[in-house]
Amino acid sequence: LQGQLGDGTTTSKSVPTQVGTDTNWAEVVTKNRHNIARKTNGTLWAWGSNAFAQLGDGSTVNRLTPTQIGTATNWQSIGTGTAHAMAIKTNGTLWTWGFNSNGQLGDGTIIDKGSPVQIGTATDWKSVTGGSYHTVATKTNNSLWTWGRNNNGQLGLNDTTDRTTPTQVGTATNWDKISSGEDHVLAARTYGALFAWGYDINGQIGNDEAATSMLIPTLLLNVNYWTDVQAGNSYSTAIDDTGKLYTWGSNFYGQLGN
């Protein structure tokens, strides 16, 4: 309805449909009704819903086809939340834009931004992901940082206070893969420990406790290595180094595959 398929229409499609004819797409992330993508030439693109300027093109107009964000050609990795987005450049700087109701952009304000804004002056950001109204990122030293809404402890800081700038989670420097659901987070360490925290009403934390939320990273499983972790809105998935697939959390639509 908002052009999130990027094919120039607002018509739903029930089979995979190629977007344009370009063959140099490198990465794409999606949340709700918009998409952020990166090409192999380092350019940044977005399409779909733009009500909160989450496409980063300086407007609030929906885009039915991929639209370039700025002219920079040194984008390295991307992430997105429900109505905000973020990206890291090859120089290690972090940039965010879109909805900023709870400080999820990390620029110290709660004011929306219509185009990418640099967050601080650090040049050692490594990866970034977004939840509904919060953001999670790692640095090249494998430290973990969070900011934005924290009503369910999704920032992992042992409280429920929002943060408007990146705040380090603990002191560990061995965080590897990260993924954020609506209000919970999954993160694996380099040696194979899997942690989760935040909203837990559907069991998406996976620690088998009848808790509404977990305010700090909670150890779930310890294997040699996690090849992938992905958090859905209210469920979680992970693949270990032997190829086993794990799922837990909400299963209202059969999303656990069991």
Side-chain angles (χ1 to χ4, degrees), residues 7 14 27 34 50 63 66 93 123-124 130-131 134 147 151 158-159 175 182 195-196 228 256:
D7 65 348
S14 59
E27 180 184 12
H34 73 283
N50 200 23
R63 303 297 179 185
T93 57
T123 57
D124 59 348
H134 70 277
W147 58 97
N151 60 319
N158 202 28
D159 60 39
W175 295 102
E182 188 174 35
F195 290 78
D228 192 28
L256 301 189

Side-chain angles (χ1 to χ4, degrees), residues 12-48:
S12 299
K13 301 293 192 301
S14 59
V15 296
T17 303
Q18 185 173 351
V19 178
T21 58
D22 290 348
T23 57
N24 62 340
W25 296 103
E27 180 184 12
V28 63
V29 293
T30 185
K31 253 320 192 287
N32 266 32
R33 299 178 179 88
H34 73 283
N35 307 270
I36 308 295
R38 179 177 58 86
K39 288 187 175 182
T40 55
N41 61 8
T43 56
L44 192 63
W45 301 73
W47 63 97

Side-chain angles (χ1 to χ4, degrees), residues 30-34 36 49-56 79-86 96-101 104-105 112-113 130-134:
T30 185
K31 253 320 192 287
N32 266 32
R33 299 178 179 88
H34 73 283
I36 308 295
S49 176
N50 200 23
F52 298 98
Q54 60 264 48
L55 300 189
T80 188
T82 294
H84 71 292
M86 62 290 299
T96 64
W97 60 95
F99 196 40
N100 198 24
S101 58
Q104 57 264 47
L105 299 189
D112 298 352
K113 302 297 187 299
S132 54
Y133 306 106
H134 70 277

